[in-house]
Amino acid sequence: MTDTSVPAIAAVVPAAGIGKRMQSAVPKQYLKLHGKTVLEHSVAKLRAVSAVNQIWLALAADDPYFDATELTHSDINRVKGGAERMHSVLNALQFIDEHQFPWVLVHDAARPLVRKADIELLITRCLQQGEGGILASPVRDTMKRGACYVAETVSREHLWHALTPQFFPTAMLKAALHDAIQAGVNVTDEASAMEWAGHRVMLVEGHSDNIKITQPADLALAAFYLEQVTE
Ligand SMILES: Nc1ccn([C@@H]2O[C@H](COP(=O)(O)OP(=O)(O)OP(=O)(O)O)[C@@H](O)[C@H]2O)c(=O)n1
Ligand SMILES: C[C@](O)(CO)[C@H](O)COP(=O)(O)O
């Protein structure tokens, strides 16, 4: 991205999870994909975006794996993660100076396949509009709600998978996340806190291969995608 009018951007990478659903010996962000950890892939994607000037990693307080990565050098800031993803993100936001970094990008460590072009599209669209937004991919399947039997078919019209990064004005996100957590809202992404606070959230279509590594089968899928995607 060469547009000098783009403000300096800080990035937050929530990477303090234990990856229960992955059922792996190590937390999924430290599993290897083509020789590098999932976390290293995800951070590399953020580093490839020239407007990203500062990166904050939220890591588990007892994380014994990070020091073995290639990420230990100076330009990576580390902060203690929290009990849930929303706490980890808020912990990191507290260290970001909103005057120096008026906008912040939040990207899951578990999403190593995000494309640089998609990140730049999100940033461009949000800065043009002056409003925060998220990468998202339209739902393609017929959607059902139910436990053992179908209770209802949910219209897939205007239905999206929320992805990351999610990109918001720093001060606005800090306040919304803090207040939503205080109010006991179940915040599973930054957008839900912003929506709760009454802000509009733009949907920016991104590639559906920007998967979140969550269950065991996702690692092989990610490895396959990694061979296909160049950017
Ligand atoms: N307390 C937490 C929980 C999650 N995350 C991060 O948030 C991202 C998305 O969360 P998820 O996929 O749910 O990761 P885990 O919580 O590790 O997975 P699980 O729910 O299977 O334990 C991951 O990069 C994870 O490391 C975090 O920073 N702090
Ligand atoms: C932020 C996110 O990746 C958007 O889809 C998702 O909400 C993370 O959920 P998780 O349960 O913390 O994996």
Side-chain angles (χ1 to χ4, degrees):
M1 177 180 284
T2 53
D3 180 353
T4 52
S5 66
V6 176
I9 292 169
V12 169
V13 181
I18 60 171
K20 288 184 299 294
R21 292 168 284 179
M22 198 68 195
Q23 302 163 45
S24 53
V26 299
K28 60 191 180 182
Q29 59 270 35
Y30 292 109
L31 293 174
K32 290 290 182 69
L33 264 180
H34 293 206
K36 281 201 306 188
T37 63
V38 168
L39 176 61
E40 286 165 313
H41 281 285
S42 299
V43 170
K45 295 298 179 69
L46 295 173
R47 272 225 182 91
V49 177
S50 56
V52 172
N53 282 33
Q54 191 177 80
I55 297 178
W56 288 86
L57 296 188
L59 301 174
D62 57 351
D63 180 327
Y65 308 101
F66 179 78
D67 290 343
T69 70
E70 302 288 315
L71 299 173
T72 49
H73 41 69
S74 60
D75 74 339
I76 293 279
N77 303 282
R78 296 161 61 170
V79 65
K80 204 156 69 107
E84 294 175 50
R85 181 184 179 285
M86 59 187 177
H87 302 111
S88 297
V89 173
L90 187 57
N91 286 358
L93 287 174
Q94 307 303 359
F95 289 87
I96 298 174
D97 176 344
E98 59 254 29
H99 304 291
Q100 188 185 0
F101 297 101
W103 286 80
V104 64
L105 204 63
V106 183
H107 183 58
D108 290 335
R111 289 186 189 269
L113 299 169
V114 64
R115 298 174 194 224
K116 175 184 171 196
D118 284 358
I119 301 174
E120 291 180 337
L121 176 66
L122 174 67
I123 292 170
T124 301
R125 294 279 302 284
C126 290
L127 294 180
Q128 280 169 347
Q129 190 66 26
E131 291 179 289
I134 66 171
L135 284 181
S137 72
V139 164
R140 288 181 292 233
D141 303 307
T142 294
M143 304 304 286
K144 305 287 184 187
R145 185 185 305 282
C148 300
Y149 292 92
V150 175
E152 63 169 321
T153 295
V154 178
S155 163
R156 64 180 157 189
E157 196 187 6
H158 306 317
L159 201 56
W160 300 71
H161 295 281
L163 309 174
T164 69
Q166 305 200 357
F167 186 53
F168 295 105
T170 308
M172 223 180 256
L173 179 58
K174 270 188 196 177
L177 205 44
H178 172 271
D179 295 352
I181 291 172
Q182 287 280 80
V185 177
N186 179 30
V187 174
T188 56
D189 70 346
E190 288 62 58
S192 39
M194 295 295 285
E195 295 153 39
W196 177 82
H199 303 297
R200 296 201 308 176
V201 175
M202 248 191 334
L203 286 158
V204 177
E205 184 168 352
H207 288 77
S208 58
D209 56 12
N210 174 12
I211 62 169
K212 180 164 67 73
I213 294 181
T214 306
Q215 295 168 343
D218 295 333
L219 198 66
L221 182 59
F224 169 76
Y225 279 143
L226 209 53
E227 285 154 19
Q228 314 303 315
V229 174
T230 49
E231 258 296 276

